[in-house]
């Protein structure tokens, strides 16, 4: 991993979005019929260029939440990232990797129709501990710089954006009747990815305030 300074949090979001846009070109119809495209201003939630209207709106919410969760972790040392407050707590580093693992699982589920436990070997080796956290996570997720976590989050998010650009609102609203908490569409699944970051944002701030 290159030893570089953490980038500006807004540049992180903008660069990830631009990389997806360069990789994929949306059908003209999906963009031309959308009269409500918002600018790349982070605080304008709504349809975005390069995505169908509902997917673009979801992406704008995910970008806003990612910017929020990156703000309190900028510049943290390895010692701070590894800090365990008590026997039931997770480290900040562990939670950041957990967010990447969660997003990767929803990629596999919604893009590839894979279910929990059906991870490819490379993803299982890379993300399964972070997905579950607990004692294994507290022991194994240690010694990584902030750049390691930021780079992993950026890599996973860039793939999400590339795949979103290939899909339309019909896919987003597709219902999975076998989902654990009841019939659920892809929109709800990806909104959960966003909400999940909000949940851990509070935990990260709680832990950060208690680092000795």
């Amino acid at each position: 991993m290159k030893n570089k300074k953490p980038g500006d949090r807004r540049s992180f979001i903008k660069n990830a979005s631009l990389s997806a846009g360069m990789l994929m070109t949306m059908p003209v119809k999906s963009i031309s019929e959308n009269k409500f495209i918002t600018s790349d201003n982070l605080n304008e939630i709504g349809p975005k260029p390069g995505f169908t209207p509902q997917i673009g709106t979801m992406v704008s919410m995910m970008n806003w939440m990612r910017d929020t969760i990156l703000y309190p972790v900028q510049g943290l040392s390895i010692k701070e990232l590894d800090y365990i407050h008590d026997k039931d707590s997770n480290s900040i580093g562990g939670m950041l990797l957990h967010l990447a693992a969660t997003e990767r699982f929803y990629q596999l589920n919604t893009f590839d129709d894979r279910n929990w436990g059906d991870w490819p070997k490379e993803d299982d080796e890379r993300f399964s501990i972070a997905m579950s956290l607990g004692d294994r996570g507290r022991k194994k997720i240690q010694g990584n710089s902030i750049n390691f976590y930021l780079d992993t989050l950026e890599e996973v998010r860039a793939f999400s954006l590339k795949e979103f650009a290939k899909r339309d609102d019909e896919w987003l609203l597709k219902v999975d009747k076998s989902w654990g908490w009841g019939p659920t569409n892809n929109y709800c699944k990806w909104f959960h990815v966003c909400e999940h970051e909000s949940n851990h944002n509070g935990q990260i701030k709680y832990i950060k305030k208690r680092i000795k």
Side-chain angles (χ1 to χ4, degrees):
M1 187 60 61
K2 294 181 180 179
N3 186 17
K4 60 182 181 181
K5 290 185 178 180
D8 177 81
R9 60 196 181 104
R10 293 180 184 270
S11 296
F12 176 96
I13 300 297
K14 187 174 182 180
N15 289 339
S17 299
L18 287 174
S19 65
M22 289 186 291
L23 286 167
M24 296 301 303
T25 301
M26 287 300 298
V28 174
K29 180 180 178 182
S30 65
I31 298 176
S32 63
E33 291 185 355
N34 181 11
K35 301 178 182 179
F36 304 102
I37 291 178
T38 57
S39 75
D40 62 359
N41 176 11
L42 193 66
N43 294 317
E44 291 184 28
I45 299 296
K48 298 296 181 184
F51 304 98
T52 53
Q54 292 294 328
I55 291 180
T57 299
M58 179 190 67
V59 166
S60 71
M61 290 188 287
M62 291 174 65
N63 286 346
W64 194 94
M65 191 64 243
R66 176 59 58 84
D67 181 77
T68 299
I69 203 165
L70 292 181
Y71 182 74
V73 304
Q74 294 296 324
L76 291 184
S77 66
I78 293 176
K79 182 178 180 181
E80 290 169 321
L81 290 163
D82 290 349
Y83 174 75
I84 302 290
H85 186 60
D86 58 44
K87 65 182 183 64
D88 296 316
S89 297
N90 296 301
S91 68
I92 292 176
M95 285 188 278
L96 291 174
L97 196 58
H98 174 71
L99 294 178
T102 300
E103 183 164 344
R104 179 58 184 147
F105 167 71
Y106 278 90
Q107 290 174 353
L108 293 168
N109 177 255
T110 62
F111 301 151
D112 299 336
D113 294 321
R114 289 177 177 266
N115 292 316
W116 178 256
D118 186 26
W119 294 61
K121 182 179 179 181
E122 59 270 25
D123 288 306
D124 185 56
E125 293 175 349
R126 186 180 185 187
F127 290 121
S128 61
I129 293 176
M131 188 69 183
S132 301
L133 291 176
D135 288 338
R136 291 182 69 199
R138 284 185 278 272
K139 293 176 182 176
K140 297 290 186 179
I141 306 174
Q142 296 280 324
N144 303 307
S145 70
I146 186 60
N147 289 325
F148 167 80
Y149 297 110
L150 295 182
D151 288 347
T152 303
L153 285 164
E154 184 173 12
E155 174 195 343
V156 174
R157 177 56 54 86
F159 184 76
S160 294
L161 296 176
K162 183 182 75 170
E163 293 299 311
F164 288 149
K166 298 176 182 178
R167 291 164 170 80
D168 57 22
D169 291 347
E170 183 177 356
W171 168 85
L172 191 65
L173 299 177
K174 179 182 177 182
V175 176
D176 179 356
K177 295 183 179 179
S178 66
W179 197 247
W181 58 54
T184 304
N185 60 14
N186 287 331
Y187 207 153
C188 184
K189 291 179 181 181
W190 280 97
F191 180 77
H192 173 62
V193 173
C194 184
E195 174 273 332
H196 188 69
E197 293 200 359
S198 176
N199 178 46
H200 284 290
N201 179 49
Q203 294 179 355
I204 286 172
K205 289 176 178 175
Y206 177 89
I207 296 299
K208 183 180 177 182
K209 288 181 178 179
R210 284 152 182 82
I211 294 175
K212 300 176 181 179

